[in-house]
Amino acid sequence: MLRQLYLLIFFLSLVSCNYFKPEVKPKAIARVDESYLYKEEVKDLVPAGTSKNDSLLIVKNFIDRWASQKLLIKAAEVNLSATKKNDFNVLIKQYKIDLYTKAYLEEIVKREVDTIISEQELKKYYSENKANFRTNGVLVRLRYINVSKDHPKLATIKRKFLDFRKTDKKFWETYQLQFKNSALNDSVWVDMNQIYSKLPFISPDNYASYITAGNSFQKPDGNSTYLVKVRDVIDKNQVSPYSYLLPTLKQVILNKRKLELIKKFEKEITDDAIKNDKYEIYK
């Protein structure tokens, strides 16, 4: 009996110690009316390595913005009309619906959509829709190099540049690193804006003098010279070539699949709700 009494006293002492122990509250660093900003909320605000003065400025600016927002929302709640606030509440409710459903559908699409697109499907889509894919500007296929005028192999480089045989692949792998600038893959279509940045002597005003299909030329540039060979040109508002459109075609087909999947899922979820008596329209 005495032992049980000691145990009871010991237990009560533990409970009383915990009961009277002051509750640890988070430390507030700012207040606007009944709203508090706590130290915990700004602990990760300052990047590591920031100086003390900059850290204080970052935190001070954050606190000021926090206070301004709190004061503005309170003022808005008091001063905006009931009609206006109701309109905004409707928008907020709809925004939440849109946000949730969009996120959910994106997860469904990410999990279910087939991202593999065959070459046959791409070419078929291009063939059926190419009239809708017209160029916004001039497209060009060309190659060029910017080589020093004193290069010991300049004559050979010029000759091989004009011939440009597949058997010279090793030659170009060796010497391309010695050029100031170059682009030798003339099978790729590029927009004229890229040409203006790579060949600064060509501009929108004079490009027609240089950029014509089959044209090859040299252009001195200080201590170096540009060698250019234009392979092909497509003018503005013409049907874009398949190879140029390939990334766009893939994206268009993928987006089409996503939309079809979303429509299918929306129909299935509605049909399932009707079937399980979760959705009905009253007449």
Side-chain angles (χ1 to χ4, degrees):
M1 181 70 181
L2 188 60
R3 182 172 177 274
Q4 290 177 341
L5 182 61
Y6 283 143
L7 286 173
L8 179 61
I9 293 170
F10 177 70
F11 174 75
L12 289 173
S13 67
L14 287 176
V15 172
S16 63
C17 285
N18 288 329
Y19 182 79
F20 291 109
K21 187 177 181 181
E23 183 183 350
V24 178
K25 293 183 178 180
K27 185 177 180 181
I29 58 174
R31 178 186 67 83
V32 171
D33 290 336
E34 300 304 316
S35 297
Y36 291 87
L37 178 66
Y38 295 99
K39 188 175 181 180
E40 183 74 12
E41 296 177 75
V42 299
K43 68 175 185 177
D44 299 322
L45 190 63
V46 180
T50 307
S51 68
K52 183 178 180 180
N53 288 339
D54 288 343
S55 299
L56 291 172
L57 184 62
I58 290 170
V59 174
K60 176 67 167 56
N61 288 338
F62 181 85
I63 293 172
D64 287 343
R65 285 196 303 274
W66 173 84
S68 295
Q69 288 177 343
K70 292 294 182 184
L71 293 166
L72 283 168
I73 190 65
K74 284 184 176 292
E77 287 171 348
V78 170
N79 292 289
L80 287 176
S81 67
T83 302
K84 201 75 170 176
K85 286 189 283 188
N86 183 64
D87 289 344
F88 284 135
N89 285 333
V90 170
L91 289 174
I92 291 166
K93 184 178 180 180
Q94 186 59 49
Y95 179 70
K96 180 182 178 180
I97 292 170
D98 293 342
L99 201 64
Y100 273 53
T101 54
K102 183 175 182 291
Y104 179 54
L105 287 172
E106 283 177 352
E107 287 297 319
I108 296 294
V109 166
K110 191 187 299 183
R111 188 170 66 241
E112 301 291 340
V113 72
D114 181 8
T115 58
I116 298 172
I117 306 172
S118 68
E119 184 78 8
Q120 182 181 1
E121 185 177 2
L122 287 164
K123 287 184 175 178
K124 182 175 183 292
Y125 189 86
Y126 174 73
S127 177
E128 293 173 351
N129 298 278
K130 61 182 178 182
N132 299 323
F133 295 103
R134 295 191 173 270
T135 55
N136 293 321
V138 177
L139 298 180
V140 187
R141 289 194 296 180
L142 58 72
R143 61 181 182 269
Y144 75 89
I145 59 176
N146 185 11
V147 59
S148 172
K149 291 178 180 178
D150 299 327
H151 196 289
K153 292 282 188 179
L154 182 58
T156 304
I157 289 169
K158 286 182 180 179
R159 177 171 53 80
K160 288 185 177 292
F161 178 79
L162 292 174
D163 292 342
F164 212 67
R165 298 174 181 174
K166 290 182 179 180
T167 52
D168 290 332
K169 183 180 178 181
K170 290 278 188 183
F171 176 87
W172 293 117
E173 288 176 354
T174 301
Y175 285 98
Q176 191 171 10
L177 295 173
Q178 300 175 19
F179 303 149
K180 292 185 177 181
N181 199 0
S182 65
L184 296 174
N185 186 2
D186 60 4
S187 64
V188 176
W189 290 98
V190 296
D191 186 86
M192 271 303 300
N193 289 321
Q194 295 184 51
I195 303 301
Y196 297 144
S197 64
K198 298 296 184 182
L199 305 177
F201 57 89
I202 298 179
S203 69
D205 296 326
N206 67 11
Y207 83 91
S209 303
Y210 296 101
I211 305 301
T212 56
N215 188 31
S216 58
F217 58 90
Q218 289 182 220
K219 182 69 176 179
D221 181 49
N223 294 325
S224 64
T225 187
Y226 281 94
L227 302 178
V228 183
K229 173 67 178 181
V230 181
R231 182 174 169 184
D232 207 353
V233 181
I234 295 178
D235 291 327
K236 183 179 179 180
N237 205 33
Q238 300 301 307
V239 174
S240 297
Y242 173 77
S243 59
Y244 181 75
L245 281 177
L246 198 52
T248 303
L249 293 172
K250 288 179 179 178
Q251 194 58 54
V252 168
I253 292 173
L254 194 58
N255 288 342
K256 187 169 175 284
R257 287 182 182 178
K258 288 178 180 179
L259 288 174
E260 288 172 352
L261 180 62
I262 288 171
K263 286 181 180 178
K264 180 174 177 286
F265 179 73
E266 287 175 342
K267 185 178 185 307
E268 286 177 352
I269 200 172
T270 304
D271 290 345
D272 187 62
I274 293 171
K275 182 180 177 182
N276 291 289
D277 202 27
K278 293 181 179 178
Y279 168 47
E280 61 180 311
I281 299 175
Y282 299 116
K283 297 181 180 179

